[in-house]
Amino acid sequence: MNWTDERVEKLKRLWAEGLSASQIAAQLGGVSRNAVIGKVHRLNLPGRAKAGGSTGASRSAKRPAAPARPANYPARVATRPVARTVGATALKDDVEVAVPEMSYVPSNNVVVPISRKLALTDLTERTCKWPMGDPLKDDFHFCGVDASEASPYCGYHARLAYQPVADRRKAAARA
DNA sequence: CCCTGATTCGC
DNA sequence: GCGAATCAGG
């Protein structure tokens, strides 16, 4: 995959919004988090000095054998074009999460074991991506329980997702 | 072990 | 320019 203008723009936007490199890589698709980080550096985008994300930043200080980075940054002139549509929320049209068709659990308060109530941006490859709540309302979240690498869902939801229709009805009725 | 970003360097 | 490997840390 190559860095098209669109992809670079998306990278800039998501990075500016504080998403982690791995999350950005997931949304872009076809690239690793290393690729994202590498690109960020090449673009001279400001790193995560200490804010937002959390960990592991401020690496440079403890890297003695790295002459590549003089104490004085290359002016971060990143002039961001305001090309974004006015009413467009980032998480509205850019997200490409695979939401299963029958994913939506109706009215009732589904009695699911546990839910970590993750926001979309908190999902990783091994968190359950079972959607909960109304995607149009702000209580929407994802299950988020640990899922094995193979499945996009936790054990509980994997069973619901992959059951034949007939069985699913029973499961739904039970829930 | 999970994750984070940072850096290096062969390609 | 690219990104895997590696490092360093939470």
Side-chain angles (χ1 to χ4, degrees), chain A residues 43-93:
Chain A
L43 288 170
N44 286 307
L45 295 179
R48 263 64 182 284
K50 71 220 163 172
S54 51
T55 64
S58 56
R59 173 101 293 295
S60 51
K62 293 181 181 175
R63 197 98 246 253
R69 208 157 193 259
N72 45 6
Y73 281 28
R76 16 149 70 160
V77 190
T79 309
R80 277 201 291 152
V82 195
R84 211 189 316 184
T85 327
V86 186
T89 304
L91 293 181
K92 218 147 186 199
D93 45 12

Side-chain angles (χ1 to χ4, degrees), chain A residues 114-116 118 124-129 143-149 151-157:
Chain A
I114 343 114
S115 165
R116 294 175 59 202
L118 292 185
T124 72
E125 283 114 7
R126 42 168 61 79
T127 53
C128 180
K129 297 169 188 62
C143 170
V145 169
D146 264 20
S148 58
E149 208 175 302
S151 172
Y153 305 114
C154 66
Y156 181 85
H157 288 130

Side-chain angles (χ1 to χ4, degrees), chain A residues 3 9-10 15 23 27 31-32 46 57 60 71-72 87 89 110 122 132 134 143 158 164-167 174:
Chain A
W3 288 103
E9 263 197 50
K10 195 166 183 176
W15 183 259
Q23 287 172 328
Q27 296 222 354
V31 288
S32 65
S60 51
N72 45 6
T89 304
V110 185
D122 294 326
M132 309 182 76
D134 190 333
C143 170
V165 182
D167 289 348
R174 217 182 304 120

Side-chain angles (χ1 to χ4, degrees), chain A residues 1-4 7 28-31 35:
Chain A
M1 218 108 196
N2 67 328
W3 288 103
T4 62
R7 290 167 65 79
L28 289 173
V31 288

